[in-house]
Amino acid sequence: MDEITFKYLSAKRDLKPGRLYLLPKLHKLDPELIESVQQNPTLYKNVRIQGRPIVSLSGTVLERIGQYLDKFMLPAVLKQETHLRDSLEFINIIEKLQVKPDAYLVSFDIKEMYNNMSHVEMIDAVKHAWPTIIKCKHTILLPPLRYILELLKIVLENNEFMFNGKFYKTSTGVPMGNSLSPEITDLRVYEVLNSILRTFQHKQKISSLYRFRDDGFFIYNEGTDDEISQFFEHANRQHALLKFTHEKSQTKMQFLDVLVFKGLRFRETGILDLTTFRKKTENYQYLERSSCHPSSTFRGIIKGEMLRFKRCTNDPVDLQTQYALFSERLIKRGYPKNEIKTVMQEVTAKQRIDTLMVKPKSVLQSPPLVFSTVFSRQKSHIKNNILKHWDKLKDDEEAKLLFDKRPLFAFRRHKNLKDIVTSATLNN
């Protein structure tokens, strides 16, 4: 272990126990129920909202150990042939994929993936993946396997958290608030899926199987509806805890933020059509333009969404419709038409093929000089003044020693109303 890594792992800091909180699954609510509550707000008292349990390990003794181990697990996960980094990678795959007219589009979900694996099988998955791990390039020194497994055992078997004033300890699975959790579960699920595919009698009919965490997609060729059901019945018999749900269609299928369907392009070329997918519960609550944020934040929201629409949509007419609807929703949130128009012109000038290119991550030769402060409109002139007079600062002998490069400016947010009136701690 190098000295910098050792100092990072052993640095003294204020530690606290893990904390359990719930993220409400509003997208699971019935749209008709949402509409009825909007018409009669008193009905919200009768609504039961599902929650996704998150154990935050931020500030705990396990936080940095998990980050350290994740550095070695992630490169191995990225080498899995079924792994997806994001929806951009999925779109690029679809853009080159020839699909037969009668093929089924299938998506699946692994229920409670993070909670339904034993510690032993996850440790074994790391052992099995070790030949791949040692072949990967790592930014820090890779320790021997026995030390990796020892640290992994510490992280898995000591997941303690507080809820409602009491301490609990998980006996299986991994907490979603640990940076190591996605990679350690990916390694094991990869093994499970490979076993399912190897032992399915119609495995030759399954193609283009890809997975992002607990969501998956594949094409089922020259088969029947019953055969797909048999595949998932078979899958659900392979593991004591991991269970699969699925959807299938010969016309369209949603996966991540993309809707894949057999439209005009498919009929002409055999390549599936794409458009942006939106949940029925989407209410388009974009950041209010009057909110206290740097102007670059609002510009980034507009540009980011428009670029996403362009990546996810192959039909130019459909894309223009999405731009128009997006502009209407932004105007309702207080965004000026000129601001929207300026960003739209910048985005529309780009070719779609350019938005689908994966940009390599730049490697910093040295840490950047970051000027960090809490944002306020009264302080907005600071950045402009520093950059305006930067040449003068470079000529000053003392300033030259303190600031050896042009700074980046970063803004922290103020404590907001939510921070004041809500808490992750449940009080009696």
Side-chain angles (χ1 to χ4, degrees):
M1 182 183 294
D2 60 81
E3 186 178 353
I4 295 175
T5 304
F6 175 76
K7 286 181 178 179
Y8 178 77
L9 291 173
S10 60
K12 291 183 178 180
R13 59 194 192 279
D14 293 331
L15 298 174
K16 52 189 176 182
R19 298 163 311 285
L20 173 69
Y21 63 92
L22 299 176
L23 289 179
K25 295 183 178 181
L26 297 178
H27 61 283
K28 298 285 188 180
L29 291 176
D30 187 334
E32 293 182 2
L33 175 61
I34 295 174
E35 186 176 346
S36 63
V37 171
Q38 289 173 339
Q39 295 173 356
N40 183 3
T42 59
L43 295 176
Y44 83 91
K45 296 179 180 178
N46 302 322
V47 177
R48 295 292 178 265
I49 302 175
Q50 296 182 43
R52 185 190 305 278
I54 306 291
V55 175
S56 171
L57 295 184
S58 176
T60 68
V61 69
L62 299 179
E63 179 186 19
R64 293 191 176 185
I65 302 175
Q67 292 169 349
Y68 174 67
L69 292 173
D70 187 54
K71 289 282 187 181
F72 308 118
M73 303 300 120
L74 180 57
V77 170
L78 295 178
K79 286 186 175 295
Q80 296 173 354
E81 61 271 17
T82 57
H83 175 77
L84 288 174
R85 291 171 182 258
D86 48 32
S87 59
L88 174 58
E89 185 173 7
F90 177 69
I91 292 168
N92 276 311
I93 290 168
I94 295 297
E95 288 291 332
K96 301 180 181 71
L97 188 65
Q98 290 280 340
V99 177
K100 295 180 180 179
D102 60 346
Y104 279 88
L105 311 176
V106 184
S107 70
F108 62 87
D109 177 74
I110 306 172
K111 296 175 65 177
E112 304 292 337
M113 182 181 78
Y114 289 93
N115 300 326
N116 285 329
M117 281 182 263
S118 71
H119 297 159
V120 171
E121 66 179 311
M122 286 185 279
I123 291 172
D124 286 342
V126 173
K127 292 179 185 176
H128 301 155
W130 187 248
T132 302
I133 293 173
I134 59 177
K135 291 178 183 177
C136 296
K137 291 183 179 180
H138 300 287
T139 55
I140 55 178
L141 187 64
L142 177 67
L145 176 60
R146 66 180 183 276
Y147 295 136
I148 289 282
L149 297 179
E150 189 173 338
L151 286 173
L152 184 58
K153 191 174 180 181
I154 290 172
V155 171
L156 292 176
E157 295 181 356
N158 293 279
N159 277 312
E160 299 175 351
F161 61 90
M162 178 181 284
F163 181 72
N164 197 19
K166 296 181 180 179
F167 284 96
Y168 298 86
K169 186 175 183 178
T170 58
S171 58
T172 188
V174 287
M176 293 182 69
N178 188 338
S179 57
L180 174 65
S181 298
E183 275 63 65
I184 199 71
T185 52
D186 273 347
L187 290 175
R188 176 55 184 149
V189 168
Y190 178 67
E191 293 183 331
V192 173
L193 275 176
N194 283 344
S195 174
I196 292 169
L197 289 169
R198 279 196 309 269
T199 54
F200 180 55
Q201 60 178 331
H202 302 298
K203 61 183 177 182
Q204 74 281 0
K205 297 183 180 182
I206 295 175
S207 66
S208 306
L209 189 151
Y210 297 99
R211 180 178 59 85
F212 180 79
R213 305 307 183 206
D214 55 355
D215 294 316
F217 176 91
F218 65 83
I219 306 291
Y220 197 79
N221 300 290
E222 299 178 348
T224 65
D225 190 289
D226 287 342
E227 287 175 358
I228 297 172
S229 297
Q230 289 170 21
F231 172 77
F232 286 103
E233 289 171 5
H234 170 70
N236 286 329
R237 291 193 296 266
Q238 302 304 305
H239 192 278
L241 298 175
L242 288 177
K243 302 301 173 186
F244 296 77
T245 60
H246 73 281
E247 294 181 8
K248 54 185 178 289
S249 171
Q250 287 184 297
T251 55
K252 62 181 180 180
M253 183 56 59
Q254 173 263 326
F255 182 65
L256 303 179
D257 62 343
V258 182
L259 182 66
V260 185
F261 64 101
K262 297 177 180 178
L264 178 61
R265 182 174 74 169
F266 176 78
R267 291 192 292 272
E268 293 177 349
T269 67
I271 297 175
L272 292 164
D273 290 85
L274 301 167
T275 190
T276 308
F277 175 76
R278 296 176 181 82
K279 290 184 171 67
K280 293 181 180 180
T281 51
E282 174 64 75
N283 55 11
Y284 308 102
Q285 294 297 304
Y286 299 113
L287 182 67
E288 283 275 6
R289 190 59 180 83
S290 58
S291 185
C292 185
H293 286 77
S295 58
S296 59
T297 298
F298 302 107
R299 180 182 174 83
I301 290 172
I302 302 171
K303 185 176 180 179
E305 280 293 88
M306 286 188 170
L307 284 173
R308 185 171 72 91
F309 297 156
K310 193 157 198 167
R311 283 193 294 266
C312 294
T313 309
N314 68 276
D315 181 7
V317 177
D318 182 12
L319 181 60
Q320 291 304 316
T321 302
Q322 292 190 50
Y323 283 162
L325 290 172
F326 179 53
S327 299
E328 289 178 15
R329 288 157 183 152
L330 287 176
I331 291 169
K332 289 181 180 179
R333 304 293 288 177
Y335 288 72
K337 291 182 180 179
N338 288 340
E339 185 176 40
I340 300 170
K341 183 179 178 181
T342 300
V343 179
M344 186 181 293
Q345 288 173 343
E346 180 184 346
V347 173
T348 52
K350 292 179 178 289
Q351 296 295 318
R352 180 169 181 261
I353 192 171
D354 294 330
T355 68
L356 296 178
M357 294 178 63
V358 179
K359 296 180 180 179
K361 290 186 177 180
S362 58
V363 179
L364 296 175
Q365 299 301 319
S366 61
L369 175 63
V370 180
F371 184 88
S372 177
T373 183
V374 175
F375 176 77
S376 73
R377 291 190 176 93
Q378 289 71 32
K379 294 180 180 178
S380 60
H381 64 281
I382 294 177
K383 174 181 177 180
N384 294 334
N385 287 341
I386 289 178
L387 295 179
K388 180 180 178 181
H389 300 292
W390 182 248
D391 290 336
K392 294 179 181 178
L393 285 171
K394 287 196 302 182
D395 294 336
D396 184 272
E397 292 300 323
E398 291 187 18
K400 191 187 299 184
L401 294 173
L402 294 171
F403 313 114
D404 61 340
K405 65 187 75 174
R406 195 179 184 88
L408 299 176
F409 290 82
F411 296 102
R412 304 184 304 274
R413 71 170 177 85
H414 284 282
K415 181 177 286 189
N416 59 25
L417 189 61
K418 177 186 174 184
D419 297 327
I420 297 170
V421 302
T422 66
S423 172
T425 303
L426 180 65
N427 296 315
N428 290 322

